[in-house]
Amino acid sequence: MSFTVQTPQRPLPGAYLQTPAINKTQSEPISQPSFGSSSAISIPRNVSQPSNQGLAQQSQQSGQLGARPSTEPLNPIERASKTINDTLTQEMRYPELDSYIGQGISSDYNVSGLAAWAPFQKVKLFNIPDKIFEQYNRAQVSTMMGLFAELNHAWVTIDNALYIWDYTHPNPDLIGFEEQSNSITAVRMVIPRAGVFVPSISRLLVVATTAEIILVGLSLQSIAGTGRTVVLYQTRMSVPTKGMDIWVIEGSAATGRIFFSGKGDDDVHELTYQQEEKWFQNRCGRVNHTSKGFSALAPSLQLPFGQKSQPDHIKQMIIDDTRKLLYTLSSRSTIRTFHMKPNGGLDLVITKQLTETLSNIGHMTSQSELISPAMSIVSISPIPSQEASKLHLVATTSTGCRVFMSATSSYGWSITESSNAPTSMQVQHVKFPPADPMASQTSQHQGSMQVATYTGNPGINTSSKALRPTRTANRYPPGYFFCFVCKDPQVATDMLFISAPDSGRIARPQEPAQLSRFAELGIWLDLGSRVEDIGLVSPSFSAAPSPTGFGNELTVQYDRTSSEVAILTNTGIHTLRRRRLVDIFAACIKVGGREEGLEEEVKKFIRQYGRGETAATAVAVACGQGLDVTSDSRIAEIIDPEVVEHARKAFIDFGGKPQFNENSMVDQSLAVIDMVRPSPRHEGLALYIARLVRSIWKAPIAVESLTPTGGLAVSSSVSLAKLQDIQRALAKLQEFLNSNKSFIDGLAGPEALGRVATKQEEISLQAEHRALHSLVLLISNIVEGISFVLVLFDERIEEIMLSLPNEIRQQVRNMTYEGLFCTSSGKDLAKELVKAIVNRNIANGSNVDTVAEALRRRCGSFCSADDVVIFKAQEQLKKASETGKGSEFGRNLLNESLRLFQQVASSLSMEQLQWAVQQYVSTQFYAGAIELALTVAQEGDRGNRALSWIQEGRPEQDPRSTVFEVRKKCYNLVHQVITSLDQTSSQSPDIVDAQYIQRRGEAYRVINESEDEVFQTDLYDWYLAQDQSDRLLQVESPYVAIYLERRSSDNVKHADLLWEYYTKGDRYHDAAVVQLALAKSAFTLPLDKRIEYLSRAKANASAYAPGVGRQPRQLLLHEVSDLLDVANIQDDLLQRLKADPRGSPEQKVKFVKELDGPLLSLTELYNRYADQASYFDLCILIYQAADHRNPADIAQTWQNLLQTTHEETEVRRELQPYEAVVEKVRSLGTRLNLSEITFPIPVLVPLLEKYSFEYQKGIGPPTWVIDILLELQVPYESIFPVLEGMLYNNEAPFEGRNRNYIAADMLHLIQRWFHASSRGGGKIFGGDSNAAAISETLQMLQQTGLDREKMEECQALRMRIDQVLR
């Protein structure tokens, strides 16, 4: 479905964009070339359209509005791919920690009284097993508790024994370590150095006692149906530490180094261990890194007299492996920084005392009771270099303030390598506690949320005692803060305050130009007991490997499981789960209540996170992505129909509208539709899709490696379970969009255009449809693509890869999921793999139908039903080639393969067609090869666009020419088959057998009977290009005439072939039409050739033609005859001008060039040539042809003709003048057919008589005037009255005695008339009345003074007449 703009897409003036949209039923007429001769889709200007991470402002503008249109517009999949790439790029631009935790202070919290807005939620409370309490009751010296949270295990020490159990198991077994007798003072689980222990020992337990430190190996083992358990191993590694009272242990996961410290001093010791003993080095040892020289560096503390100084000792030790730094926190709040060298050294590089820290903070804020010498630092947490380039450490004070510190060196901020150790540490930021919820009644009624203002420092609360006193605190990336507060020391219970970054608000400042603020969501939890330990159950969070994008929890909320934390108290283990934004949204609309409450919650979400992020979250909830903790402490999808329906409505009703960017109109190169920014709904949909596929989008599909034996191993770069999860999520989204498309502007179909009111709204809706439709297509592609990958890895992919050509195999190695989903080359490559799968299964004896059908069912886009048929057809053709071309079975296989190929002709690639044609030719199945090629050509152009292109004269730069070129590739294969046929025919007769002759006849029957006019046109072109025009005349097909008619308009040879073809088929009338057109054409033809065409046309027009009526033949004949007369006149002019001695040679050349070519009009012939050159005989012919009836003109022209003829003859002296006149009269009389108009006897007789009397008297026969007229068969009845009138009129020069000149001619005329009329035996002179009148005339002639001889002849004639009358 697509919407098309009904008016030309050109820049429109802004003043006219609000005009009403045009009627959809109207369209502009298309000129044919001649040949031969819902509601308004607009966004109020005063309403901001926020989007996640500035996506609307940056990605949309740069990706759609800012980009100039390319010469080739993006197709839907390319457009969707660009949208996803832009979205992922923008997601990676999530602000780094340093950008919103800068120099200064803050207290931005969103602490809600509603559980729906809580950043974490309780999942389950696991009780401590009774077995532990039984052992605990036997304790004599000391007990400790802790967590191995990443393993879902807890531990407890009771005197000298260590017990570990799986706290998630309902009835766990206790795993004990009781092999030593000393009281345990500290336990820590660390990652061992690689290569020291067997691979199964993945962790070490460092157990410190009053006498030694012991290393215990720990291995994880899976148990079917019950999860996993741990197994402890004796390593026989220990170091004596008697008297040190060790209670702090820390290990480096990257290097395996183990550090520890005791309560008696602040020295840092390292436990060394190795696989075997070496010279002067035991398997396990201890190194003190701080005993030498440290006392000189540490300033002495002067105490009042009489007081005893408590030794400063280390109470916390943490390691930042990303920077090779070890931090220690002492009991006097001194922070020391050590640099871990690669050679095993440990250098103290920074000592930061509490006084220095307070001094740094003093520059940032005024006096606050929370920041004073009375406070202490209760815990420190590292910030890895992937999370921040400047910030290194977070220290939490006893007043609940978080102090963010950075360590710098002369080389800059980013200390990630061991070669550059920091030299100083500064406080960068202080985050003060949230407002105390119990401070006053007013604060309780401020609303459901306590949100600090974004306007600046005046709103920062620097005096809140909500977290005072803080007993301990922990921070985990990307900023999860757990603060344990013990308000009453007498009551052994802790209050827990949790805060987490509000990623949506950090990513989207309220003002685009404003920097992000350190905004957090917070919640208070009453644990009801004292906290003993806390740990991350899930892996440490990381959305990106660099600070930019690292903390973007939004982008991974559908890609990874939520972070989970375990908290050990003296009553049990609490597990807390990080709530994603989608979970918060689902909970909000769940508690929103009625429509009013729902609308308010959605609007609140829009204000907080933007319309695009809200749309993304709403569609995720509608598709089942929301999770919640059930009453039985399970994490399950929110499938409450009411919640899903509310989310659906939120996506549809609050998705926003596309916005027309009028500022883009200054760019004249932009199409109007590209000036529209799609709606936030589109942005949200793109966000959701991008977040689903982000982990696979750029990942390669397959990864090759070598097996231990050197063989090829191919594995998926992404787990198949992960692919299936993505596919299921997208399938749900696909179903959601399909079921709700009628409610979504842009997907609702053409009927949505009926709701627009302005042209701007119409264009906006079209742009919205284009954007949403492309994403819908992409979803379908991804679902199908994942199915294909799953099928691929279900096969023996190693064998498939080895069967591929090297080039294809390399392409498979390089192919990413994006390439597979979004590019034609990726789909083509997938089809190559499908072919390899099918071929492998066929080679293994599997049925092609079974294999192909299974592929089609699972990934139809890559192996459609057509592909199945193609595979089967290829199989049949291969069998036919193996069987032999002469057998009946082989022939049946060929016919069956042809039937199958034709069934899927529209899906055949050119390579497949070429292969099939070659196979058919090799088996002499010529007819099948031709028929298949023609079928594929027609199926590729069902709309016959190529034919319309040909019929319109093959215009250049027309997109239809591309369609024709595709068809021509198929026709070229037919040409190859014909060439092969001809070559075989030219061989010796013993090779050309009867079977071949039969197959040749079949092939040409297919050719001649084909109704593909485009093919016939191309075939005839090929014949002519091969100089085989005679072959064309032998073809009995109606398309020959059509082809020649079309080509004759621009080629004389084709036109000649056309009338020859018509004549050969007895279509004389059609041949005459073509010949007439040739004579009239603008081709460069000499005049004699045109006269030849007209002569042939006259002959053909005169012949009988079946199916042509009398009237059309007469009309054609009349037109041809008239035009032939004109042509003859023009030829006469041409010949006359050539022979005319008058005029210069240049003029003659000019006149000849003008006349020896196209036929000119009679007016032009007369005015420009005949009259100007005084060719009066030709002027008379022109009068005749033009039906000119002006007697004066005609008489004058005859007069001029006689005069010029006489004069020219006298000059030449070749003839007597009268002879020249006689010849002219004779010629014109014949050509004029004695026309009464142009050969007027009443005019000509006096003129000739006068000429004879005045110029030729006594020269020549005395009666030559009457003789020439009678010779021309002028009727006696026409001449007689003229002479009679001349006799009686007595006009000069025939007056007086000169009348006898006329009388003599009259006597001669009457004599000849008498003899002519009496020969037939009929009545003389046509009747008695005429005879009587002539008798009287003869009597009168006797009185005119005739000489004696004439008088006697007159009297004798009269007597004979009278005798006849009696």
Side-chain angles (χ1 to χ4, degrees):
M1 179 190 309
S2 64
F3 301 112
T4 58
V5 180
Q6 298 292 328
T7 54
Q9 294 189 8
R10 56 179 180 269
L12 302 176
Y16 297 101
L17 285 174
Q18 298 296 337
T19 55
I22 64 170
N23 190 343
K24 304 303 175 299
T25 61
Q26 297 178 351
S27 62
E28 294 183 0
I30 301 175
S31 61
Q32 296 294 334
S34 59
F35 302 94
S37 47
S38 122
S39 57
I41 305 177
S42 59
I43 299 177
R45 297 177 185 268
N46 59 347
V47 178
S48 63
Q49 293 299 313
S51 59
N52 181 65
Q53 305 165 22
L55 186 61
Q57 291 83 5
Q58 299 179 29
S59 176
Q60 295 291 355
Q61 289 177 1
S62 63
Q64 295 184 9
L65 299 179
R68 292 184 179 272
S70 62
T71 55
E72 295 184 3
L74 298 176
N75 63 42
I77 295 301
E78 290 172 340
R79 188 177 304 280
S81 173
K82 182 179 184 303
T83 299
I84 297 302
N85 280 314
D86 290 346
T87 303
L88 289 174
T89 300
Q90 191 60 40
E91 292 270 83
M92 291 303 297
R93 293 174 184 162
Y94 182 88
E96 59 180 294
L97 192 67
D98 300 317
S99 67
Y100 58 87
I101 303 182
Q103 190 81 23
I105 62 175
S106 65
S107 63
D108 297 333
Y109 294 92
N110 184 340
V111 183
S112 173
L114 297 175
W117 285 89
F120 279 82
Q121 67 180 149
K122 288 184 179 180
V123 179
K124 193 171 184 178
L125 172 62
F126 298 96
N127 294 321
I128 297 176
D130 293 337
K131 298 176 183 178
I132 297 297
F133 287 111
E134 292 174 3
Q135 296 293 335
Y136 182 80
N137 292 331
R138 301 193 186 102
Q140 297 178 357
V141 179
S142 64
T143 62
M144 289 186 300
M145 300 177 69
L147 286 171
F148 302 144
E150 58 187 287
L151 306 181
N152 291 327
H153 280 63
W155 58 269
V156 62
T157 63
I158 301 174
D159 295 336
N160 66 322
L162 170 65
Y163 298 103
I164 305 172
W165 75 95
D166 182 356
Y167 62 78
T168 63
H169 198 282
N171 187 23
D173 294 329
L174 292 184
I175 301 166
F177 175 69
E178 304 172 326
E179 283 75 11
Q180 59 87 32
S181 57
N182 300 306
S183 295
I184 298 174
T185 59
V187 176
R188 186 72 172 178
M189 183 174 69
V190 299
I191 304 296
R193 183 183 295 115
V196 177
F197 303 100
V198 295
S200 59
I201 297 181
S202 58
R203 290 168 177 79
L204 288 177
L205 293 184
V206 184
V207 181
T209 68
T210 55
E212 61 182 345
I213 292 183
I214 305 170
L215 296 182
V216 180
L218 187 148
S219 174
L220 292 174
Q221 294 185 357
S222 299
I223 302 175
T226 60
R228 58 184 181 177
T229 186
V230 299
V231 178
L232 302 182
Y233 296 91
Q234 279 281 8
T235 64
R236 303 187 183 280
M237 292 185 179
S238 62
V239 172
T241 57
K242 191 170 184 179
M244 292 186 63
D245 196 9
I246 297 171
W247 77 312
V248 177
I249 304 173
E250 187 60 48
S252 169
T255 62
R257 298 175 70 177
I258 302 172
F259 302 95
F260 60 91
S261 181
K263 290 185 178 180
D265 54 41
D266 56 2
D267 289 343
V268 176
H269 303 266
E270 181 177 359
L271 177 66
T272 62
Y273 58 98
Q274 56 191 10
Q275 189 174 18
E276 296 178 353
E277 292 187 0
K278 298 181 181 179
W279 288 97
F280 308 107
Q281 192 173 6
N282 295 327
R283 291 183 63 203
C284 193
R286 174 168 63 92
V287 177
N288 187 338
H289 288 288
T290 56
S291 59
K292 296 180 180 180
F294 176 70
S295 58
L297 295 173
S300 60
L301 182 64
Q302 302 295 328
L303 296 176
F305 180 77
Q307 291 189 11
K308 185 176 181 180
S309 171
Q310 293 291 331
D312 191 11
H313 61 274
I314 295 175
K315 67 176 185 177
Q316 187 181 2
M317 190 182 295
I318 58 174
I319 290 177
D320 180 0
D321 279 318
T322 63
R323 294 185 171 95
K324 306 292 189 294
L325 297 179
L326 167 68
Y327 303 100
T328 64
L329 174 64
S330 73
S331 57
R332 295 177 181 171
S333 299
T334 298
I335 299 173
R336 290 186 295 170
T337 303
F338 296 86
H339 183 219
M340 298 185 294
K341 291 187 174 181
N343 59 5
L346 186 72
D347 292 345
L348 174 65
V349 292
I350 301 172
T351 299
K352 187 77 171 180
Q353 296 185 354
L354 180 60
T355 54
E356 296 179 42
T357 303
L358 293 174
S359 176
N360 292 158
I361 298 174
H363 295 291
M364 301 179 187
T365 181
S366 57
Q367 188 69 26
S368 172
E369 59 181 315
L370 302 182
I371 305 296
S372 67
M375 76 170 192
S376 63
I377 298 176
V378 297
S379 69
I380 56 175
S381 299
I383 300 176
S385 62
Q386 292 95 331
E387 186 178 2
S389 57
K390 296 180 181 179
L391 298 175
H392 286 55
L393 190 71
V394 179
T396 306
T397 68
S398 57
T399 58
C401 296
R402 279 173 283 169
V403 181
F404 292 84
M405 300 182 177
S406 63
T408 60
S409 71
S410 58
Y411 295 96
W413 292 100
S414 185
I415 308 301
T416 58
E417 300 295 338
S418 57
S419 58
N420 297 326
T423 56
S424 65
M425 181 175 286
Q426 298 292 327
V427 174
Q428 290 293 319
H429 189 90
V430 178
K431 185 66 177 280
F432 284 90
D436 193 343
M438 304 301 294
S440 65
Q441 189 70 20
T442 303
S443 63
Q444 295 179 4
H445 293 285
Q446 286 178 348
S448 60
M449 300 184 186
Q450 298 173 358
V451 185
T453 178
Y454 269 88
T455 57
N457 289 353
I460 297 176
N461 186 350
T462 61
S463 59
S464 172
K465 300 180 181 179
L467 301 181
R468 187 175 182 179
T470 295
R471 190 170 64 84
T472 185
N474 289 77
R475 180 196 182 274
Y476 302 105
Y480 306 146
F481 179 57
F482 297 85
C483 185
F484 301 98
V485 182
C486 182
K487 291 290 186 181
D488 187 356
Q490 304 299 323
V491 180
T493 61
D494 288 333
M495 285 290 294
L496 171 60
F497 174 74
I498 307 174
S499 68
D502 194 348
S503 301
R505 289 170 61 194
I506 292 173
R508 177 194 159 271
Q510 284 191 340
E511 296 295 334
Q514 188 180 40
L515 294 176
S516 300
R517 299 298 298 271
F518 188 9
E520 293 183 293
L521 291 172
I523 187 176
W524 288 93
L525 293 178
D526 186 0
L527 298 176
S529 55
R530 183 179 177 83
V531 172
E532 300 293 337
D533 199 3
I534 182 174
L536 270 178
V537 177
S538 57
S540 181
F541 179 88
S542 173
S546 61
T548 302
F550 177 91
N552 193 354
E553 293 183 273
L554 301 177
T555 195
V556 298
Q557 57 182 325
Y558 316 119
D559 188 42
R560 299 179 185 174
T561 56
S562 297
S563 298
E564 190 171 332
V565 175
I567 299 175
L568 174 65
T569 68
N570 52 14
T571 59
I573 297 99
H574 301 262
T575 55
L576 304 179
R577 170 183 168 271
R578 171 64 164 136
R579 299 177 76 237
R580 307 167 301 169
L581 190 63
V582 64
D583 304 329
I584 294 174
F585 183 81
C588 287
I589 61 176
K590 184 176 183 179
V591 301
R594 299 181 178 179
E595 294 293 334
E596 297 80 6
L598 170 65
E599 183 175 348
E600 182 58 35
E601 289 295 331
V602 173
K603 288 182 177 179
K604 185 187 301 182
F605 237 80
I606 292 174
R607 288 193 300 270
Q608 292 283 97
Y609 305 113
R611 200 177 286 272
E613 187 65 56
T614 302
T617 309
V619 74
V621 174
C623 293
Q625 289 285 359
L627 300 178
D628 200 4
V629 179
T630 62
S631 57
D632 56 350
S633 300
R634 291 184 302 106
I635 300 175
E637 293 183 2
I638 299 177
I639 57 175
D640 185 349
E642 187 175 354
V643 174
V644 173
E645 176 61 18
H646 286 336
R648 184 191 73 86
K649 288 184 177 180
F651 177 75
I652 295 172
D653 297 341
F654 295 92
K657 298 174 182 179
Q659 186 173 8
F660 195 93
N661 187 356
E662 296 181 4
N663 293 329
S664 298
M665 294 178 60
V666 297
D667 187 355
Q668 298 296 319
S669 64
L670 277 181
V672 177
I673 196 170
D674 292 327
M675 298 179 187
V676 179
R677 184 175 67 199
S679 66
R681 183 186 297 107
H682 167 265
E683 177 193 339
L685 190 60
L687 278 171
Y688 182 52
I689 297 172
R691 289 167 180 174
L692 287 175
V693 302
R694 64 177 296 276
S695 61
I696 67 172
W697 191 249
K698 298 292 183 181
I701 291 176
V703 178
E704 291 187 2
S705 59
L706 295 177
T707 63
T709 59
L712 176 67
V714 183
S715 59
S716 173
S717 64
V718 181
S719 71
L720 300 184
K722 177 68 175 177
L723 289 176
Q724 290 171 336
D725 290 342
I726 295 173
Q727 186 183 43
R728 279 192 292 268
L730 287 171
K732 289 183 179 179
L733 176 61
Q734 193 176 35
E735 181 182 357
F736 170 82
L737 294 175
N738 187 55
S739 59
N740 292 279
K741 62 183 180 181
S742 59
F743 307 107
I744 301 173
D745 286 341
L747 292 180
E751 59 271 13
L753 282 174
R755 298 193 293 268
V756 301
T758 67
K759 185 63 180 178
Q760 175 181 340
E761 293 176 6
E762 179 185 355
I763 295 173
S764 298
L765 185 59
Q766 290 167 356
E768 179 77 356
H769 166 77
R770 184 178 69 170
L772 288 178
H773 180 65
S774 64
L775 292 180
V776 170
L777 293 180
L778 178 62
I779 294 170
S780 178
N781 275 18
I782 296 175
V783 172
E784 289 280 349
I786 292 176
S787 293
F788 166 73
V789 174
L790 295 176
V791 168
L792 184 63
F793 284 99
D794 281 348
E795 299 286 332
R796 292 188 61 82
I797 188 172
E798 290 82 5
E799 295 182 8
I800 294 172
M801 292 289 285
L802 290 173
S803 69
L804 296 172
N806 290 335
E807 181 181 358
I808 300 297
R809 183 175 172 186
Q810 184 59 41
Q811 291 176 7
V812 173
R813 292 192 196 104
N814 298 335
M815 183 169 62
T816 64
Y817 282 93
E818 178 191 7
L820 176 66
F821 300 151
C822 303
T823 63
S824 57
S825 60
K827 184 158 287 190
D828 293 341
L829 197 58
K831 289 189 175 182
E832 290 293 333
L833 290 170
V834 167
K835 293 177 189 176
I837 293 173
V838 173
N839 292 335
R840 174 186 168 274
N841 282 274
I842 292 175
N844 293 339
S846 301
N847 182 273
V848 65
D849 287 340
T850 304
V851 176
E853 180 60 26
L855 287 169
R856 187 195 65 78
R857 187 173 59 253
R858 296 185 63 180
C859 48
S861 295
F862 301 96
C863 183
S864 62
D866 288 352
D867 293 328
V868 176
V869 177
I870 292 171
F871 294 142
K872 190 171 183 179
Q874 291 173 335
E875 183 184 35
Q876 299 280 12
L877 185 49
K878 288 179 181 178
K879 289 181 179 178
S881 301
E882 296 168 357
T883 303
K885 61 184 179 181
S887 66
E888 182 179 356
F889 179 65
R891 195 71 175 175
N892 291 336
L893 289 174
L894 289 173
N895 288 324
E896 177 63 15
S897 68
L898 175 61
R899 185 187 68 80
L900 293 173
F901 275 132
Q902 287 181 308
Q903 182 180 336
V904 293
S906 60
S907 300
L908 280 177
S909 66
M910 185 53 61
E911 292 77 11
Q912 292 169 332
L913 175 61
Q914 290 172 343
W915 178 85
V917 169
Q918 290 172 359
Q919 294 297 315
Y920 284 146
V921 171
S922 66
T923 57
Q924 291 190 357
F925 190 31
Y926 303 112
I930 295 171
E931 193 169 349
L932 177 59
L934 295 181
T935 304
V936 171
Q938 288 181 304
E939 286 296 319
D941 182 23
R942 290 188 177 182
N944 239 351
R945 298 177 65 205
L947 179 59
S948 65
W949 177 69
I950 292 173
Q951 291 173 340
E952 293 175 12
R954 309 189 184 205
E956 296 181 358
Q957 297 181 349
D958 192 302
R960 294 172 296 179
S961 62
T962 306
V963 181
F964 172 77
E965 290 301 326
V966 173
R967 294 184 72 160
K968 183 164 176 56
K969 291 180 181 178
C970 301
Y971 302 147
N972 290 340
L973 296 177
V974 179
H975 302 164
Q976 294 174 14
V977 176
I978 296 174
T979 302
S980 178
L981 273 169
D982 294 342
Q983 290 174 351
T984 306
S985 300
S986 63
Q987 296 176 358
S988 58
D990 56 336
I991 298 177
V992 182
D993 55 8
Q995 189 180 57
Y996 166 77
I997 295 174
Q998 177 186 354
R999 292 178 179 176
R1000 175 185 172 86
E1002 292 173 353
Y1004 277 103
R1005 193 177 305 115
V1006 172
I1007 292 173
N1008 294 335
E1009 294 178 358
S1010 171
E1011 297 181 356
D1012 184 353
E1013 186 175 347
V1014 181
F1015 162 66
Q1016 298 289 0
T1017 300
D1018 181 75
L1019 177 65
Y1020 304 151
D1021 283 339
W1022 185 68
Y1023 280 160
L1024 295 178
Q1026 301 293 317
D1027 198 19
Q1028 298 178 351
S1029 57
D1030 56 333
R1031 197 169 189 173
L1032 184 61
L1033 296 177
Q1034 296 171 4
V1035 177
E1036 296 181 1
S1037 171
Y1039 296 111
V1040 176
I1042 296 174
Y1043 166 77
L1044 292 175
E1045 285 174 3
R1046 186 181 303 120
R1047 298 303 298 269
S1048 63
S1049 62
D1050 55 7
N1051 191 292
V1052 177
K1053 292 183 179 180
H1054 293 161
D1056 286 338
L1057 284 174
L1058 177 60
W1059 66 259
E1060 287 179 31
Y1061 184 79
Y1062 282 147
T1063 304
K1064 185 178 179 181
D1066 296 336
R1067 297 172 60 180
Y1068 300 114
H1069 183 270
D1070 294 332
V1073 171
V1074 176
Q1075 291 162 341
L1076 173 61
L1078 277 171
K1080 296 164 61 176
S1081 69
F1083 293 130
T1084 305
L1085 294 173
L1087 184 59
D1088 58 349
K1089 190 66 176 177
R1090 296 178 188 272
I1091 294 174
E1092 177 187 345
Y1093 284 136
L1094 289 171
S1095 300
R1096 290 178 180 273
K1098 188 173 183 179
N1100 286 322
S1102 302
Y1104 171 74
V1108 180
R1110 180 187 179 96
Q1111 184 177 3
R1113 283 195 294 127
Q1114 292 297 328
L1115 290 174
L1116 178 61
L1117 182 59
H1118 179 73
E1119 182 182 0
V1120 172
S1121 299
D1122 289 347
L1123 200 58
L1124 182 58
D1125 291 340
V1126 174
N1128 286 326
I1129 294 172
Q1130 185 169 332
D1131 186 56
D1132 290 339
L1133 273 170
L1134 175 63
Q1135 303 307 322
R1136 189 77 61 84
L1137 283 170
K1138 285 182 179 179
D1140 197 328
R1142 296 175 297 174
S1144 64
E1146 293 79 10
Q1147 286 180 320
K1148 284 189 176 182
V1149 171
K1150 175 186 175 185
F1151 292 146
V1152 169
K1153 183 177 181 181
E1154 292 173 352
L1155 291 171
D1156 194 14
L1159 299 179
L1160 303 179
S1161 68
L1162 289 170
T1163 301
E1164 195 170 5
L1165 292 175
Y1166 179 84
N1167 291 328
R1168 292 189 58 190
Y1169 304 102
D1171 187 53
Q1172 294 292 327
S1174 299
Y1175 299 148
F1176 297 113
D1177 55 342
L1178 298 183
C1179 290
I1180 294 171
L1181 290 173
I1182 292 173
Y1183 293 158
Q1184 171 73 9
D1187 196 20
H1188 184 69
R1189 295 173 177 268
N1190 190 324
D1193 291 344
I1194 296 171
Q1196 184 62 45
T1197 303
W1198 272 106
Q1199 175 68 43
N1200 294 337
L1201 174 62
L1202 297 178
Q1203 182 68 32
T1204 55
T1205 304
H1206 176 81
E1207 293 173 354
E1208 290 173 359
T1209 307
E1210 283 190 334
V1211 172
R1212 290 197 300 268
R1213 296 184 179 276
E1214 296 176 355
L1215 296 172
Q1216 290 295 333
Y1218 85 92
E1219 292 177 329
V1221 170
V1222 167
E1223 187 59 36
K1224 286 289 184 183
V1225 172
R1226 181 186 293 113
S1227 173
L1228 285 175
T1230 303
R1231 295 182 65 176
L1232 296 174
N1233 200 21
L1234 302 181
S1235 168
E1236 295 179 357
I1237 306 301
T1238 54
F1239 199 82
I1241 299 301
V1243 174
L1244 283 178
V1245 171
L1247 286 177
L1248 290 172
E1249 290 288 355
K1250 185 177 180 181
Y1251 169 76
S1252 176
F1253 178 78
E1254 293 179 347
Y1255 294 97
Q1256 298 293 298
K1257 188 177 181 179
I1259 302 174
T1263 59
W1264 64 266
V1265 174
I1266 302 303
D1267 291 339
I1268 186 59
L1269 293 175
L1270 294 178
E1271 181 184 339
L1272 291 172
Q1273 298 182 355
V1274 177
Y1276 297 96
E1277 296 88 342
S1278 299
I1279 303 173
F1280 180 81
V1282 177
L1283 292 174
E1284 187 179 27
M1286 292 177 65
L1287 183 65
Y1288 287 122
N1289 289 340
N1290 198 25
E1291 292 179 357
F1294 304 109
E1295 55 187 352
R1297 292 185 60 85
N1298 292 339
R1299 291 175 61 200
N1300 60 0
Y1301 192 86
I1302 298 299
D1305 279 350
M1306 286 185 68
L1307 175 60
H1308 179 69
L1309 175 67
I1310 294 171
Q1311 288 174 338
R1312 293 194 61 176
W1313 191 359
F1314 175 78
H1315 290 298
S1317 60
S1318 60
R1319 273 199 304 268
K1323 292 184 177 182
I1324 60 173
F1325 302 113
D1328 293 344
S1329 59
N1330 288 343
I1334 289 173
S1335 178
E1336 293 178 0
T1337 301
L1338 288 173
Q1339 184 178 0
M1340 185 270 297
L1341 289 177
Q1342 294 175 359
Q1343 301 172 5
T1344 58
L1346 292 172
D1347 59 28
R1348 180 181 295 179
E1349 184 180 354
K1350 295 295 182 185
M1351 288 287 288
E1352 292 175 355
E1353 290 177 5
C1354 181
Q1355 185 176 2
L1357 180 60
R1358 182 167 178 259
M1359 291 176 62
R1360 292 181 65 182
I1361 294 172
D1362 291 343
Q1363 186 179 359
V1364 173
L1365 290 175
R1366 293 195 195 97

